[in-house]
Amino acid sequence: MRRIDQSLERQKRQRCLATTTTGVAAAGAAEVPPAAGGSPQPGPAAAAAGSATGLPSEDAAPVSEAWRAAADEKALLWEALDSGSDDEAAGKLQALRRRFPANPHFPLAEGRLAARRGNADGARALFTAAVALAEASGPRDASVVLHAWATFEGDRGRLQEARALLRRAVAADPRHAAAHCSLGRLAEAHGDVPAAAAHYSAALAAEPKHAPSLQALALLAARQGRFAKAREIFQRALGDLPDNAPLYAAWGNMEWKLGRYNAARKVFVRGHDECLPHAPLLAAHARMEAQRRHLSEARKLFRAALQVDPTHTRSLLGLGQLEARSGNTGAALQLYRQGLQAHPSSPHLLSSLAHLHAQLRDEPAARDTWLQLVAHEPSNGHACHALGSLEQQQGRLEAAEKWYRQGCDSADTKGALLCFEGLAELLAFQGKQHAARVTFRQGSKRARSSARFWRQWATFEKRAGDLDRSAELFGAASRADPRDDRTWLQWGLLERRRGRPAAAERCFERGVKAAPRNPYLWQVYGVLLFQQGRVEEARQVLRQGVAANPANPQLCMEWALAEEAAGNLEDALLIFQQGASVQEPHAPLLAAWGGLARRMGRHDLAARIEGLLEGAQDGARLRGPA
């Protein structure tokens, strides 16, 4: 119990210094400048950065005055950061800067605080001052401060500035693993895999057990399709670092994205067993269970994460979204508001709250929440896209275009791509085809354009009649995300329309491998084979599809019709019966089943099926149009 309490207290303190990692990896709050021999180097700057070694034990050599001074300054730093409010912390840090003018870690902490409060200019001025002091203090101090400044710039989408600062950091101290790792992440974000691998290797040469670099190297191998290599790196890393929770979370997420639920669950459970309670690891496991519809298990894990850290954003978000999808909108609202009390400008919490208001058809509240978000982040892509969509729905096209264009400048690639997409489709709706195409082209230049973006552009070109160009863009979408089932489905349908059945078949085949639980992919794949007279292959495909989606009536109907065409009438009847066992009656399946029963002379069965069909049709009439 004492170990857990100490861990929670340490997490509380380090959250005060932590920064987000959108652009580059966060500078560790406890990075310590090593001496030439690798041991911690005493001194005010090192201590204020948060020495991992702490003070010497009582039976060690006598404590020097330098160590005492370092301890005092470190304790004062933690005391300031543990103040009750940001204003109090800022006041104490300003006083400490005046009292210890040579210590770079006080302006560094104040700069991080200014960044968190949205004062970018003030943060840059403080980082500049911290760098000047750190360069006089020593190479590791200089590297640590430059890395923190680079993180700040990367989080704001200023990647060139971040890269320049990181290069200065590794030039100041080539043994600074975190700076090498951050350079690797930047290189990887721009698609330069060899450079990324070289930076991660340099980080590990400097610090062989640097967990973020080991994790990054494993995930880089996974993105290249070298999954066995990725697992080998994770396994080796955890052999050296058996209680490193982020490694378990990354490995578990990798297995889950590959569709290996059992393997992912084993990794998560192993992490819970080996590590102290860790909110991000618990939340990652909870998100997987929620996607598997294991809602009670997901709730349990999210709540455990919130016991570890009541302000953990991902857990508040995840549990709130789970409750919202379950219809518990009151609980979801309470969770989002709880999170916003701790993180008033959190874009994810504000975004989820706005979506929930929209789900509740409270458009004014949704609009107000989106506007709160853009007040904090004027170019937030998700908020600008939502506001643009609201304006477009109201017919205010000029206002919609203004919001979309504002969001195109977002530092967040996903949000920016949504706005490029919305703007292009708005322009196309207005008949401005060339301008729409130019907008899609501009969006495609963003690093790591998403499969969805390429797919939307491909759909635009298909509507415009350029089917060859559309096929090229679907190919780009498949390369952006080979597991995107919508890409394979829409590309296959395009190739079928172009009269290229072999190309369509390849798309459908790739699609069912990527997403075996997409029933429509199996259906169009089986129908395509059936239309070519390949009845036995069609039956096999549809049989596999029903095995993966046993409760899908449309897929059952297609398989039953294929068996009927092959003369397997009894089998067809049984398959129709399986498809009719779902809760919601499926009128086309009932009609086909009844017709087959009557043709086979099973008049009693046909009459019962026709009664079910009549009931289904009456129910549909009572429900009215959807």
Side-chain angles (χ1 to χ4, degrees), residues 286-318:
R287 287 196 301 274
M288 182 184 76
E289 298 296 354
Q291 290 177 28
R292 293 279 296 183
R293 307 299 297 167
H294 299 162
L295 302 189
S296 61
E297 181 68 12
R299 282 190 179 91
K300 177 182 174 183
L301 289 161
F302 277 130
R303 287 168 181 161
L306 290 171
Q307 284 184 329
V308 176
D309 180 0
T311 67
H312 187 241
T313 304
R314 281 188 173 271
S315 297
L316 290 162
L317 273 172

PDB file of all heavy atoms in Angstrom, residues 286-318:
ATOM      1  N   ALA A 286      -9.210  -0.927 -21.120  1.00  0.00           N
ATOM      2  CA  ALA A 286     -10.648  -0.639 -21.069  1.00  0.00           C
ATOM      3  C   ALA A 286     -11.198  -0.296 -22.449  1.00  0.00           C
ATOM      4  O   ALA A 286     -12.300  -0.737 -22.825  1.00  0.00           O
ATOM      5  CB  ALA A 286     -10.905   0.511 -20.103  1.00  0.00           C
ATOM      6  N   ARG A 287     -10.451   0.488 -23.229  1.00  0.00           N
ATOM      7  CA  ARG A 287     -10.937   0.858 -24.572  1.00  0.00           C
ATOM      8  C   ARG A 287     -11.101  -0.381 -25.440  1.00  0.00           C
ATOM      9  O   ARG A 287     -12.056  -0.489 -26.219  1.00  0.00           O
ATOM     10  CB  ARG A 287      -9.966   1.848 -25.229  1.00  0.00           C
ATOM     11  CG  ARG A 287     -10.031   3.234 -24.626  1.00  0.00           C
ATOM     12  CD  ARG A 287      -9.359   4.272 -25.526  1.00  0.00           C
ATOM     13  NE  ARG A 287      -7.964   3.965 -25.770  1.00  0.00           N
ATOM     14  CZ  ARG A 287      -6.964   4.321 -24.974  1.00  0.00           C
ATOM     15  NH1 ARG A 287      -7.227   4.995 -23.860  1.00  0.00           N
ATOM     16  NH2 ARG A 287      -5.718   4.033 -25.271  1.00  0.00           N
ATOM     17  N   MET A 288     -10.172  -1.327 -25.331  1.00  0.00           N
ATOM     18  CA  MET A 288     -10.298  -2.550 -26.100  1.00  0.00           C
ATOM     19  C   MET A 288     -11.539  -3.330 -25.687  1.00  0.00           C
ATOM     20  O   MET A 288     -12.313  -3.800 -26.532  1.00  0.00           O
ATOM     21  CB  MET A 288      -9.048  -3.420 -25.928  1.00  0.00           C
ATOM     22  CG  MET A 288      -9.101  -4.704 -26.741  1.00  0.00           C
ATOM     23  SD  MET A 288      -7.679  -5.793 -26.469  1.00  0.00           S
ATOM     24  CE  MET A 288      -8.077  -6.485 -24.862  1.00  0.00           C
ATOM     25  N   GLU A 289     -11.750  -3.465 -24.387  1.00  0.00           N
ATOM     26  CA  GLU A 289     -12.921  -4.217 -23.918  1.00  0.00           C
ATOM     27  C   GLU A 289     -14.209  -3.517 -24.334  1.00  0.00           C
ATOM     28  O   GLU A 289     -15.206  -4.177 -24.665  1.00  0.00           O
ATOM     29  CB  GLU A 289     -12.869  -4.387 -22.399  1.00  0.00           C
ATOM     30  CG  GLU A 289     -11.664  -5.168 -21.883  1.00  0.00           C
ATOM     31  CD  GLU A 289     -11.622  -6.617 -22.347  1.00  0.00           C
ATOM     32  OE1 GLU A 289     -12.585  -7.085 -22.992  1.00  0.00           O
ATOM     33  OE2 GLU A 289     -10.609  -7.298 -22.074  1.00  0.00           O
ATOM     34  N   ALA A 290     -14.206  -2.189 -24.341  1.00  0.00           N
ATOM     35  CA  ALA A 290     -15.399  -1.457 -24.774  1.00  0.00           C
ATOM     36  C   ALA A 290     -15.694  -1.727 -26.247  1.00  0.00           C
ATOM     37  O   ALA A 290     -16.849  -1.919 -26.637  1.00  0.00           O
ATOM     38  CB  ALA A 290     -15.212   0.041 -24.530  1.00  0.00           C
ATOM     39  N   GLN A 291     -14.654  -1.755 -27.078  1.00  0.00           N
ATOM     40  CA  GLN A 291     -14.859  -2.043 -28.500  1.00  0.00           C
ATOM     41  C   GLN A 291     -15.324  -3.474 -28.726  1.00  0.00           C
ATOM     42  O   GLN A 291     -16.019  -3.752 -29.704  1.00  0.00           O
ATOM     43  CB  GLN A 291     -13.562  -1.772 -29.264  1.00  0.00           C
ATOM     44  CG  GLN A 291     -13.218  -0.295 -29.354  1.00  0.00           C
ATOM     45  CD  GLN A 291     -11.894  -0.054 -30.048  1.00  0.00           C
ATOM     46  OE1 GLN A 291     -11.457  -0.839 -30.882  1.00  0.00           O
ATOM     47  NE2 GLN A 291     -11.235   1.051 -29.715  1.00  0.00           N
ATOM     48  N   ARG A 292     -14.975  -4.367 -27.814  1.00  0.00           N
ATOM     49  CA  ARG A 292     -15.433  -5.757 -27.899  1.00  0.00           C
ATOM     50  C   ARG A 292     -16.825  -5.936 -27.300  1.00  0.00           C
ATOM     51  O   ARG A 292     -17.346  -7.051 -27.262  1.00  0.00           O
ATOM     52  CB  ARG A 292     -14.451  -6.668 -27.155  1.00  0.00           C
ATOM     53  CG  ARG A 292     -13.079  -6.779 -27.788  1.00  0.00           C
ATOM     54  CD  ARG A 292     -13.041  -7.743 -28.923  1.00  0.00           C
ATOM     55  NE  ARG A 292     -13.322  -9.113 -28.489  1.00  0.00           N
ATOM     56  CZ  ARG A 292     -13.294 -10.174 -29.273  1.00  0.00           C
ATOM     57  NH1 ARG A 292     -13.026 -10.024 -30.546  1.00  0.00           N
ATOM     58  NH2 ARG A 292     -13.554 -11.373 -28.810  1.00  0.00           N
ATOM     59  N   ARG A 293     -17.421  -4.827 -26.847  1.00  0.00           N
ATOM     60  CA  ARG A 293     -18.753  -4.835 -26.231  1.00  0.00           C
ATOM     61  C   ARG A 293     -18.752  -5.552 -24.887  1.00  0.00           C
ATOM     62  O   ARG A 293     -19.794  -5.983 -24.410  1.00  0.00           O
ATOM     63  CB  ARG A 293     -19.818  -5.435 -27.156  1.00  0.00           C
ATOM     64  CG  ARG A 293     -19.882  -4.832 -28.535  1.00  0.00           C
ATOM     65  CD  ARG A 293     -20.209  -3.364 -28.487  1.00  0.00           C
ATOM     66  NE  ARG A 293     -21.525  -3.106 -27.917  1.00  0.00           N
ATOM     67  CZ  ARG A 293     -21.937  -1.897 -27.543  1.00  0.00           C
ATOM     68  NH1 ARG A 293     -21.130  -0.855 -27.649  1.00  0.00           N
ATOM     69  NH2 ARG A 293     -23.150  -1.741 -27.030  1.00  0.00           N
ATOM     70  N   HIS A 294     -17.592  -5.679 -24.264  1.00  0.00           N
ATOM     71  CA  HIS A 294     -17.508  -6.211 -22.906  1.00  0.00           C
ATOM     72  C   HIS A 294     -17.645  -5.023 -21.948  1.00  0.00           C
ATOM     73  O   HIS A 294     -16.674  -4.556 -21.345  1.00  0.00           O
ATOM     74  CB  HIS A 294     -16.176  -6.941 -22.695  1.00  0.00           C
ATOM     75  CG  HIS A 294     -15.990  -8.106 -23.612  1.00  0.00           C
ATOM     76  ND1 HIS A 294     -14.754  -8.678 -23.846  1.00  0.00           N
ATOM     77  CD2 HIS A 294     -16.874  -8.827 -24.345  1.00  0.00           C
ATOM     78  CE1 HIS A 294     -14.891  -9.692 -24.695  1.00  0.00           C
ATOM     79  NE2 HIS A 294     -16.167  -9.784 -25.008  1.00  0.00           N
ATOM     80  N   LEU A 295     -18.875  -4.518 -21.844  1.00  0.00           N
ATOM     81  CA  LEU A 295     -19.073  -3.214 -21.215  1.00  0.00           C
ATOM     82  C   LEU A 295     -18.817  -3.235 -19.718  1.00  0.00           C
ATOM     83  O   LEU A 295     -18.268  -2.275 -19.163  1.00  0.00           O
ATOM     84  CB  LEU A 295     -20.495  -2.715 -21.514  1.00  0.00           C
ATOM     85  CG  LEU A 295     -20.838  -2.579 -23.005  1.00  0.00           C
ATOM     86  CD1 LEU A 295     -22.176  -1.883 -23.179  1.00  0.00           C
ATOM     87  CD2 LEU A 295     -19.750  -1.826 -23.759  1.00  0.00           C
ATOM     88  N   SER A 296     -19.222  -4.305 -19.026  1.00  0.00           N
ATOM     89  CA  SER A 296     -18.996  -4.335 -17.584  1.00  0.00           C
ATOM     90  C   SER A 296     -17.503  -4.363 -17.267  1.00  0.00           C
ATOM     91  O   SER A 296     -17.037  -3.688 -16.339  1.00  0.00           O
ATOM     92  CB  SER A 296     -19.701  -5.540 -16.960  1.00  0.00           C
ATOM     93  OG  SER A 296     -19.191  -6.751 -17.498  1.00  0.00           O
ATOM     94  N   GLU A 297     -16.739  -5.125 -18.054  1.00  0.00           N
ATOM     95  CA  GLU A 297     -15.281  -5.174 -17.852  1.00  0.00           C
ATOM     96  C   GLU A 297     -14.647  -3.824 -18.167  1.00  0.00           C
ATOM     97  O   GLU A 297     -13.754  -3.361 -17.454  1.00  0.00           O
ATOM     98  CB  GLU A 297     -14.665  -6.267 -18.732  1.00  0.00           C
ATOM     99  CG  GLU A 297     -13.160  -6.430 -18.600  1.00  0.00           C
ATOM    100  CD  GLU A 297     -12.730  -6.966 -17.238  1.00  0.00           C
ATOM    101  OE1 GLU A 297     -13.606  -7.425 -16.477  1.00  0.00           O
ATOM    102  OE2 GLU A 297     -11.526  -6.925 -16.936  1.00  0.00           O
ATOM    103  N   ALA A 298     -15.122  -3.178 -19.243  1.00  0.00           N
ATOM    104  CA  ALA A 298     -14.586  -1.869 -19.614  1.00  0.00           C
ATOM    105  C   ALA A 298     -14.860  -0.844 -18.516  1.00  0.00           C
ATOM    106  O   ALA A 298     -13.968  -0.065 -18.136  1.00  0.00           O
ATOM    107  CB  ALA A 298     -15.202  -1.403 -20.928  1.00  0.00           C
ATOM    108  N   ARG A 299     -16.083  -0.842 -17.977  1.00  0.00           N
ATOM    109  CA  ARG A 299     -16.405   0.091 -16.890  1.00  0.00           C
ATOM    110  C   ARG A 299     -15.481  -0.139 -15.684  1.00  0.00           C
ATOM    111  O   ARG A 299     -14.978   0.809 -15.069  1.00  0.00           O
ATOM    112  CB  ARG A 299     -17.869  -0.078 -16.457  1.00  0.00           C
ATOM    113  CG  ARG A 299     -18.881   0.569 -17.372  1.00  0.00           C
ATOM    114  CD  ARG A 299     -20.270   0.555 -16.747  1.00  0.00           C
ATOM    115  NE  ARG A 299     -21.225   1.202 -17.614  1.00  0.00           N
ATOM    116  CZ  ARG A 299     -21.948   0.570 -18.539  1.00  0.00           C
ATOM    117  NH1 ARG A 299     -21.808  -0.747 -18.684  1.00  0.00           N
ATOM    118  NH2 ARG A 299     -22.795   1.227 -19.304  1.00  0.00           N
ATOM    119  N   LYS A 300     -15.306  -1.408 -15.348  1.00  0.00           N
ATOM    120  CA  LYS A 300     -14.462  -1.745 -14.202  1.00  0.00           C
ATOM    121  C   LYS A 300     -13.047  -1.203 -14.395  1.00  0.00           C
ATOM    122  O   LYS A 300     -12.447  -0.624 -13.468  1.00  0.00           O
ATOM    123  CB  LYS A 300     -14.446  -3.259 -14.032  1.00  0.00           C
ATOM    124  CG  LYS A 300     -13.562  -3.780 -12.915  1.00  0.00           C
ATOM    125  CD  LYS A 300     -13.597  -5.307 -12.866  1.00  0.00           C
ATOM    126  CE  LYS A 300     -12.611  -5.863 -11.856  1.00  0.00           C
ATOM    127  NZ  LYS A 300     -12.598  -7.354 -11.870  1.00  0.00           N
ATOM    128  N   LEU A 301     -12.490  -1.357 -15.582  1.00  0.00           N
ATOM    129  CA  LEU A 301     -11.124  -0.913 -15.851  1.00  0.00           C
ATOM    130  C   LEU A 301     -11.028   0.610 -15.870  1.00  0.00           C
ATOM    131  O   LEU A 301     -10.067   1.186 -15.338  1.00  0.00           O
ATOM    132  CB  LEU A 301     -10.646  -1.499 -17.178  1.00  0.00           C
ATOM    133  CG  LEU A 301     -10.365  -3.009 -17.151  1.00  0.00           C
ATOM    134  CD1 LEU A 301     -10.347  -3.576 -18.571  1.00  0.00           C
ATOM    135  CD2 LEU A 301      -9.044  -3.289 -16.453  1.00  0.00           C
ATOM    136  N   PHE A 302     -12.009   1.276 -16.502  1.00  0.00           N
ATOM    137  CA  PHE A 302     -11.989   2.739 -16.506  1.00  0.00           C
ATOM    138  C   PHE A 302     -12.065   3.286 -15.079  1.00  0.00           C
ATOM    139  O   PHE A 302     -11.369   4.241 -14.719  1.00  0.00           O
ATOM    140  CB  PHE A 302     -13.151   3.290 -17.334  1.00  0.00           C
ATOM    141  CG  PHE A 302     -12.888   3.350 -18.811  1.00  0.00           C
ATOM    142  CD1 PHE A 302     -13.799   2.830 -19.729  1.00  0.00           C
ATOM    143  CD2 PHE A 302     -11.742   3.954 -19.308  1.00  0.00           C
ATOM    144  CE1 PHE A 302     -13.577   2.898 -21.087  1.00  0.00           C
ATOM    145  CE2 PHE A 302     -11.510   4.033 -20.675  1.00  0.00           C
ATOM    146  CZ  PHE A 302     -12.427   3.498 -21.566  1.00  0.00           C
ATOM    147  N   ARG A 303     -12.932   2.678 -14.257  1.00  0.00           N
ATOM    148  CA  ARG A 303     -13.068   3.162 -12.883  1.00  0.00           C
ATOM    149  C   ARG A 303     -11.797   2.912 -12.081  1.00  0.00           C
ATOM    150  O   ARG A 303     -11.421   3.733 -11.226  1.00  0.00           O
ATOM    151  CB  ARG A 303     -14.283   2.504 -12.232  1.00  0.00           C
ATOM    152  CG  ARG A 303     -15.600   3.070 -12.776  1.00  0.00           C
ATOM    153  CD  ARG A 303     -16.799   2.250 -12.382  1.00  0.00           C
ATOM    154  NE  ARG A 303     -18.032   2.813 -12.936  1.00  0.00           N
ATOM    155  CZ  ARG A 303     -19.160   2.152 -13.065  1.00  0.00           C
ATOM    156  NH1 ARG A 303     -19.241   0.876 -12.676  1.00  0.00           N
ATOM    157  NH2 ARG A 303     -20.229   2.739 -13.579  1.00  0.00           N
ATOM    158  N   ALA A 304     -11.124   1.787 -12.348  1.00  0.00           N
ATOM    159  CA  ALA A 304      -9.845   1.531 -11.682  1.00  0.00           C
ATOM    160  C   ALA A 304      -8.813   2.587 -12.072  1.00  0.00           C
ATOM    161  O   ALA A 304      -8.032   3.059 -11.243  1.00  0.00           O
ATOM    162  CB  ALA A 304      -9.345   0.130 -12.036  1.00  0.00           C
ATOM    163  N   ALA A 305      -8.817   2.969 -13.353  1.00  0.00           N
ATOM    164  CA  ALA A 305      -7.892   4.012 -13.810  1.00  0.00           C
ATOM    165  C   ALA A 305      -8.175   5.332 -13.106  1.00  0.00           C
ATOM    166  O   ALA A 305      -7.247   6.062 -12.718  1.00  0.00           O
ATOM    167  CB  ALA A 305      -8.009   4.178 -15.322  1.00  0.00           C
ATOM    168  N   LEU A 306      -9.463   5.651 -12.921  1.00  0.00           N
ATOM    169  CA  LEU A 306      -9.816   6.915 -12.271  1.00  0.00           C
ATOM    170  C   LEU A 306      -9.543   6.878 -10.775  1.00  0.00           C
ATOM    171  O   LEU A 306      -9.418   7.929 -10.146  1.00  0.00           O
ATOM    172  CB  LEU A 306     -11.282   7.249 -12.549  1.00  0.00           C
ATOM    173  CG  LEU A 306     -11.562   7.640 -14.011  1.00  0.00           C
ATOM    174  CD1 LEU A 306     -13.055   7.755 -14.272  1.00  0.00           C
ATOM    175  CD2 LEU A 306     -10.854   8.948 -14.362  1.00  0.00           C
ATOM    176  N   GLN A 307      -9.452   5.700 -10.178  1.00  0.00           N
ATOM    177  CA  GLN A 307      -9.012   5.616  -8.788  1.00  0.00           C
ATOM    178  C   GLN A 307      -7.529   5.960  -8.679  1.00  0.00           C
ATOM    179  O   GLN A 307      -7.091   6.578  -7.704  1.00  0.00           O
ATOM    180  CB  GLN A 307      -9.267   4.213  -8.242  1.00  0.00           C
ATOM    181  CG  GLN A 307     -10.726   3.940  -7.918  1.00  0.00           C
ATOM    182  CD  GLN A 307     -10.926   2.573  -7.299  1.00  0.00           C
ATOM    183  OE1 GLN A 307     -10.179   1.632  -7.592  1.00  0.00           O
ATOM    184  NE2 GLN A 307     -11.920   2.446  -6.435  1.00  0.00           N
ATOM    185  N   VAL A 308      -6.757   5.550  -9.694  1.00  0.00           N
ATOM    186  CA  VAL A 308      -5.328   5.879  -9.711  1.00  0.00           C
ATOM    187  C   VAL A 308      -5.131   7.370  -9.963  1.00  0.00           C
ATOM    188  O   VAL A 308      -4.328   8.031  -9.310  1.00  0.00           O
ATOM    189  CB  VAL A 308      -4.599   5.055 -10.794  1.00  0.00           C
ATOM    190  CG1 VAL A 308      -3.132   5.458 -10.896  1.00  0.00           C
ATOM    191  CG2 VAL A 308      -4.721   3.573 -10.508  1.00  0.00           C
ATOM    192  N   ASP A 309      -5.888   7.904 -10.933  1.00  0.00           N
ATOM    193  CA  ASP A 309      -5.764   9.318 -11.301  1.00  0.00           C
ATOM    194  C   ASP A 309      -7.163   9.850 -11.628  1.00  0.00           C
ATOM    195  O   ASP A 309      -7.652   9.668 -12.741  1.00  0.00           O
ATOM    196  CB  ASP A 309      -4.836   9.472 -12.510  1.00  0.00           C
ATOM    197  CG  ASP A 309      -4.667  10.930 -12.934  1.00  0.00           C
ATOM    198  OD1 ASP A 309      -5.282  11.808 -12.286  1.00  0.00           O
ATOM    199  OD2 ASP A 309      -3.930  11.199 -13.901  1.00  0.00           O
ATOM    200  N   PRO A 310      -7.833  10.501 -10.684  1.00  0.00           N
ATOM    201  CA  PRO A 310      -9.208  10.976 -10.917  1.00  0.00           C
ATOM    202  C   PRO A 310      -9.340  11.997 -12.035  1.00  0.00           C
ATOM    203  O   PRO A 310     -10.450  12.271 -12.480  1.00  0.00           O
ATOM    204  CB  PRO A 310      -9.594  11.604  -9.562  1.00  0.00           C
ATOM    205  CG  PRO A 310      -8.669  10.993  -8.573  1.00  0.00           C
ATOM    206  CD  PRO A 310      -7.386  10.758  -9.313  1.00  0.00           C
ATOM    207  N   THR A 311      -8.213  12.562 -12.493  1.00  0.00           N
ATOM    208  CA  THR A 311      -8.271  13.556 -13.560  1.00  0.00           C
ATOM    209  C   THR A 311      -7.748  13.003 -14.892  1.00  0.00           C
ATOM    210  O   THR A 311      -7.504  13.783 -15.811  1.00  0.00           O
ATOM    211  CB  THR A 311      -7.447  14.809 -13.172  1.00  0.00           C
ATOM    212  OG1 THR A 311      -6.050  14.459 -13.115  1.00  0.00           O
ATOM    213  CG2 THR A 311      -7.891  15.360 -11.845  1.00  0.00           C
ATOM    214  N   HIS A 312      -7.559  11.673 -14.983  1.00  0.00           N
ATOM    215  CA  HIS A 312      -7.006  11.102 -16.206  1.00  0.00           C
ATOM    216  C   HIS A 312      -7.971  11.302 -17.378  1.00  0.00           C
ATOM    217  O   HIS A 312      -9.065  10.738 -17.401  1.00  0.00           O
ATOM    218  CB  HIS A 312      -6.707   9.608 -16.012  1.00  0.00           C
ATOM    219  CG  HIS A 312      -5.994   8.991 -17.170  1.00  0.00           C
ATOM    220  ND1 HIS A 312      -6.501   7.955 -17.914  1.00  0.00           N
ATOM    221  CD2 HIS A 312      -4.793   9.306 -17.738  1.00  0.00           C
ATOM    222  CE1 HIS A 312      -5.653   7.638 -18.868  1.00  0.00           C
ATOM    223  NE2 HIS A 312      -4.615   8.436 -18.778  1.00  0.00           N
ATOM    224  N   THR A 313      -7.543  12.106 -18.341  1.00  0.00           N
ATOM    225  CA  THR A 313      -8.446  12.541 -19.405  1.00  0.00           C
ATOM    226  C   THR A 313      -8.977  11.381 -20.224  1.00  0.00           C
ATOM    227  O   THR A 313     -10.181  11.297 -20.513  1.00  0.00           O
ATOM    228  CB  THR A 313      -7.720  13.544 -20.327  1.00  0.00           C
ATOM    229  OG1 THR A 313      -7.231  14.628 -19.540  1.00  0.00           O
ATOM    230  CG2 THR A 313      -8.670  14.082 -21.386  1.00  0.00           C
ATOM    231  N   ARG A 314      -8.105  10.465 -20.638  1.00  0.00           N
ATOM    232  CA  ARG A 314      -8.553   9.362 -21.495  1.00  0.00           C
ATOM    233  C   ARG A 314      -9.568   8.469 -20.785  1.00  0.00           C
ATOM    234  O   ARG A 314     -10.481   7.934 -21.424  1.00  0.00           O
ATOM    235  CB  ARG A 314      -7.351   8.534 -21.958  1.00  0.00           C
ATOM    236  CG  ARG A 314      -6.586   9.170 -23.107  1.00  0.00           C
ATOM    237  CD  ARG A 314      -5.530   8.223 -23.645  1.00  0.00           C
ATOM    238  NE  ARG A 314      -4.899   8.743 -24.842  1.00  0.00           N
ATOM    239  CZ  ARG A 314      -5.342   8.537 -26.073  1.00  0.00           C
ATOM    240  NH1 ARG A 314      -6.439   7.834 -26.260  1.00  0.00           N
ATOM    241  NH2 ARG A 314      -4.702   9.026 -27.119  1.00  0.00           N
ATOM    242  N   SER A 315      -9.419   8.297 -19.491  1.00  0.00           N
ATOM    243  CA  SER A 315     -10.370   7.469 -18.761  1.00  0.00           C
ATOM    244  C   SER A 315     -11.712   8.178 -18.608  1.00  0.00           C
ATOM    245  O   SER A 315     -12.777   7.560 -18.765  1.00  0.00           O
ATOM    246  CB  SER A 315      -9.805   7.100 -17.392  1.00  0.00           C
ATOM    247  OG  SER A 315      -8.632   6.319 -17.537  1.00  0.00           O
ATOM    248  N   LEU A 316     -11.677   9.463 -18.306  1.00  0.00           N
ATOM    249  CA  LEU A 316     -12.920  10.230 -18.241  1.00  0.00           C
ATOM    250  C   LEU A 316     -13.622  10.229 -19.593  1.00  0.00           C
ATOM    251  O   LEU A 316     -14.841  10.056 -19.682  1.00  0.00           O
ATOM    252  CB  LEU A 316     -12.625  11.658 -17.790  1.00  0.00           C
ATOM    253  CG  LEU A 316     -12.199  11.821 -16.325  1.00  0.00           C
ATOM    254  CD1 LEU A 316     -11.526  13.167 -16.109  1.00  0.00           C
ATOM    255  CD2 LEU A 316     -13.394  11.662 -15.406  1.00  0.00           C
ATOM    256  N   LEU A 317     -12.828  10.405 -20.651  1.00  0.00           N
ATOM    257  CA  LEU A 317     -13.390  10.373 -21.998  1.00  0.00           C
ATOM    258  C   LEU A 317     -13.967   9.005 -22.336  1.00  0.00           C
ATOM    259  O   LEU A 317     -15.097   8.885 -22.812  1.00  0.00           O
ATOM    260  CB  LEU A 317     -12.293  10.703 -23.020  1.00  0.00           C
ATOM    261  CG  LEU A 317     -12.039  12.154 -23.360  1.00  0.00           C
ATOM    262  CD1 LEU A 317     -10.801  12.254 -24.233  1.00  0.00           C
ATOM    263  CD2 LEU A 317     -13.229  12.761 -24.074  1.00  0.00           C
ATOM    264  N   GLY A 318     -13.161   7.980 -22.090  1.00  0.00           N
ATOM    265  CA  GLY A 318     -13.583   6.635 -22.460  1.00  0.00           C
ATOM    266  C   GLY A 318     -14.829   6.202 -21.728  1.00  0.00           C
ATOM    267  O   GLY A 318     -15.777   5.669 -22.331  1.00  0.00           O
TER     268      GLY A 318
END
